[in-house]
């Protein structure tokens, strides 16, 4: 990781160090050109005398159509290195292209089955929003336009060779984008924190540290969007939250993400906003599976007083404080606020289980009735 101001100056040197000779720059819209990131990336590649091509147009909840276009472009132009410039969507799309170029079949094979990606073009990232953690992870999520299936793939071959994290590049983000990113970061930690694995005190404490940092720094940034130090802390938290350092040796639960993917695939809602609606509902539904863990979450992260006679009360207070925090930073709390509809719940459940096993594995196994209950709690 290259962290801090002026990190973009090292891009050309790093691409060469990791074997790149011809680069595809993959990004979304025009924000990287307005905030100066694009110019700094180009200057570094030119200084290193590296040829490059560009492919923009990545959307939030990145689509398969652009991935196919990128695969064809890389093969035709003999690109051997992919540089994602942007947030999680650009990085996820870049990883999908990287997986697809050397693969003889359809890149979507990796997303509709559990087989890992073991061969891919090298990928690097220049991060412009702290959120998805894709800059440090081997994971990628894509929405296939035929059927609007939002699914993930993984493989160590997709973990970025390097990532440039310059907090200055996040200073132009608005409050809503910033809050969505923070929510995603907290979700990545919670998906690891709520576990059935015992005696994992060190990673419990690491998870709690990241969450408490978000609780402290989040409101600072929302109130003062150009606070560099708070932005820096959040950007580093985003990477730590999803490179799996806080998940080592413990069972993980990704069902909040699974349920949210159906919302963002159907309604095209921002991923963080969907998670803000789903996570407290998921917590209320599964809390009784391990009340003490939720009480621990309440006490250690949210500063609740432990009610030893009634730990359920403590657990519920922690969930309530989490939801209040999300509201404080500007996130939605209900289906209606993200344009989701009660009458769509049966379709959401059916669509999820077309590609997922029943029950969904995790902290608490979820059957169709559980998933429907969680969606209804989110109403």
């Amino acid at each position: 990781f290259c962290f801090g101001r002026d990190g973009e100056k090292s891009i050309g040197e790093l691409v060469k160090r990791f074997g790149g000779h011809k680069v595809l720059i993959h990004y979304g819209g025009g924000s990287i050109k307005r905030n100066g990131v694009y110019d700094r990336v180009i200057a570094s590649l030119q200084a290193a005398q590296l040829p490059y091509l560009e492919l923009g147009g990545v959307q939030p909840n990145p689509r398969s159509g652009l991935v196919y276009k990128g695969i064809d472009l890389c093969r035709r132009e003999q690109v051997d290195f992919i540089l994602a410039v942007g947030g999680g969507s650009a990085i996820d799309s870049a990883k999908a292209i990287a997986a697809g170029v050397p693969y003889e079949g359809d890149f979507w094979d990796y997303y509709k089955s559990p087989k890992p990606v073991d061969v891919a073009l090298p990928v690097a990232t220049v991060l412009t929003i702290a959120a998805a953690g894709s800059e440090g992870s081997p994971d990628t999520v894509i929405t296939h336009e035929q059927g609007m299936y939002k699914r993930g793939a993984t493989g160590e071959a997709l973990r970025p060779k390097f990532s440039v994290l310059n907090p200055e590049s996040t200073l132009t983000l608005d409050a809503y984008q910033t809050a969505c990113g923070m929510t995603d970061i907290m979700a990545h930690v919670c998906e690891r924190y709520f576990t059935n694995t015992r005696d994992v005190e060190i990673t419990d404490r690491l998870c709690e540290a990241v969450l408490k940092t978000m609780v402290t720094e989040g409101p600072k940034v929302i109130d003062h969007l150009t606070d560099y130090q708070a932005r820096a802390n959040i950007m580093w938290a985003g990477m730590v939250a999803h490179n799996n350092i806080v998940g080592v040796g413990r069972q993980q639960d990704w069902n909040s993400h699974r349920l949210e993917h159906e919302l963002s695939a159907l309604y095209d809602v921002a991923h963080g906003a969907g998670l803000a609606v789903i996570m407290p509902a998921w917590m209320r539904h599964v809390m009784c599976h391990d009340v003490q863990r939720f009480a621990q979450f309440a006490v250690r992260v949210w500063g609740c007083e432990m009610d030893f006679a009634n730990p359920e009360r403590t657990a519920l207070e922690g969930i309530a404080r989490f939801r209040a925090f999300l509201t404080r930073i500007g996130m939605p709390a209900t289906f209606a606020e993200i344009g989701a509809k009660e009458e769509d719940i049966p379709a959401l459940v059916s669509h999820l289980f077309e590609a997922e096993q029943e029950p969904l594995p995790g902290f608490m196994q979820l059957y169709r009735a559980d998933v429907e209950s969680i969606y209804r709690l989110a109403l």
Side-chain angles (χ1 to χ4, degrees):
F1 294 96
C2 183
F3 189 92
R5 291 184 170 96
D6 299 323
E8 295 90 349
K9 291 180 179 178
S10 62
I11 290 170
E13 172 193 340
L14 288 168
V15 170
K16 284 187 170 181
R17 185 189 303 177
F18 288 99
H21 300 90
K22 191 172 187 180
V23 180
L24 175 71
I25 306 172
H26 196 41
Y27 57 92
S31 63
I32 66 166
K33 296 184 177 180
R34 292 191 298 272
N35 64 19
V37 173
Y38 173 86
D39 290 338
R40 295 195 292 272
V41 170
I42 296 300
S44 185
L45 293 176
Q46 289 178 341
Q49 297 183 319
L50 281 165
Y52 61 87
L53 294 83
E54 300 178 26
L55 180 62
V58 180
Q59 303 176 48
N61 303 311
R63 305 294 203 271
S64 58
L66 192 64
V67 173
Y68 288 118
K69 184 176 180 180
I71 292 169
D72 290 342
L73 177 63
C74 288
R75 288 173 175 170
R76 186 170 66 250
E77 298 293 336
Q78 297 184 311
V79 166
D80 63 4
F81 200 98
I82 301 181
L83 182 66
V85 184
S89 295
I91 299 170
D92 282 0
S93 186
K95 289 178 179 179
I97 294 169
V101 171
Y103 182 57
E104 293 182 358
D106 185 342
F107 89 92
W108 189 250
D109 292 344
Y110 290 117
Y111 292 78
K112 66 183 183 182
S113 75
K115 85 172 178 176
V117 179
D118 53 12
V119 178
L121 293 187
V123 177
T125 82
V126 181
L127 190 66
T128 62
I129 179 171
S134 199
E135 69 276 6
S137 82
D139 305 325
T140 161
V141 177
I142 297 292
T143 300
H144 202 292
E145 286 149 307
Q146 290 187 354
M148 297 306 289
Y149 293 100
K150 187 174 181 180
R151 300 291 182 261
T154 191
E156 281 301 314
L158 298 179
R159 198 183 292 273
K161 300 301 181 185
F162 68 85
S163 289
V164 173
L165 283 66
N166 180 355
E168 286 182 318
S169 66
T170 70
L171 296 179
T172 58
L173 293 169
D174 64 28
Y176 183 75
Q177 291 174 299
T178 302
C180 284
M182 290 191 292
T183 304
D184 199 10
I185 291 168
M186 296 180 83
H188 290 154
V189 179
C190 287
E191 300 278 30
R192 294 169 166 94
Y193 187 73
F194 292 102
T195 180
N196 294 311
T197 308
R198 300 300 174 189
D199 302 318
V200 282
E201 182 70 6
I202 179 62
T203 43
D204 272 359
R205 295 295 188 174
L206 289 172
C207 287
E208 291 155 5
V210 176
L211 290 170
K212 291 179 74 172
T213 297
M214 301 306 295
V215 172
T216 300
E217 302 298 281
K220 287 184 187 178
V221 167
I222 296 302
D223 293 342
H224 303 282
L225 291 172
T226 57
D227 185 331
Y228 176 88
Q229 294 300 335
R231 291 276 190 187
N233 280 320
I234 290 169
M235 181 172 260
W236 192 246
M239 189 283 299
V240 170
H242 203 39
N243 73 347
N244 207 40
I245 193 171
V246 299
V248 172
R250 54 198 294 148
Q251 179 200 36
Q252 301 180 16
D253 181 293
W254 291 95
N255 286 329
S256 290
H257 271 71
R258 290 185 178 102
L259 270 65
E260 192 290 322
H261 286 166
E262 298 305 317
L263 296 179
S264 50
L266 181 60
Y267 303 111
D268 205 24
V269 64
H271 179 53
L275 285 169
V277 172
I278 288 296
M279 288 182 63
W282 174 86
M283 289 178 173
R284 296 208 310 274
H285 184 81
V286 306
M287 184 192 79
C288 290
H289 178 70
D290 189 345
V291 170
Q292 291 298 332
R293 176 149 289 272
F294 275 94
Q296 177 179 296
F297 172 71
V299 172
R300 292 186 181 181
V301 177
W302 299 104
C304 300
E305 185 175 345
M306 182 64 191
D307 185 338
F308 291 97
N310 187 5
E312 290 88 353
R313 186 194 67 78
T314 305
L316 286 169
E317 184 180 352
I319 296 169
R321 290 196 187 187
F322 179 37
R323 183 168 182 173
F325 171 84
L326 295 173
T327 300
R328 163 68 176 87
I329 63 173
M331 286 288 90
T334 66
F335 256 40
E337 291 176 68
I338 59 172
K341 301 174 183 177
E342 182 176 3
E343 57 264 32
D344 289 338
I345 289 176
L348 289 166
V349 175
S350 294
H351 197 263
L352 172 63
F353 283 103
E354 282 181 29
E356 298 283 358
Q357 61 181 310
E358 184 178 6
L360 300 176
F363 176 67
M364 174 180 150
Q365 291 185 337
L366 300 183
Y367 292 84
R368 289 172 187 259
D370 297 299
V371 172
E372 180 170 346
S373 177
I374 293 167
Y375 282 139
R376 293 194 179 281
L377 284 169
L379 291 173

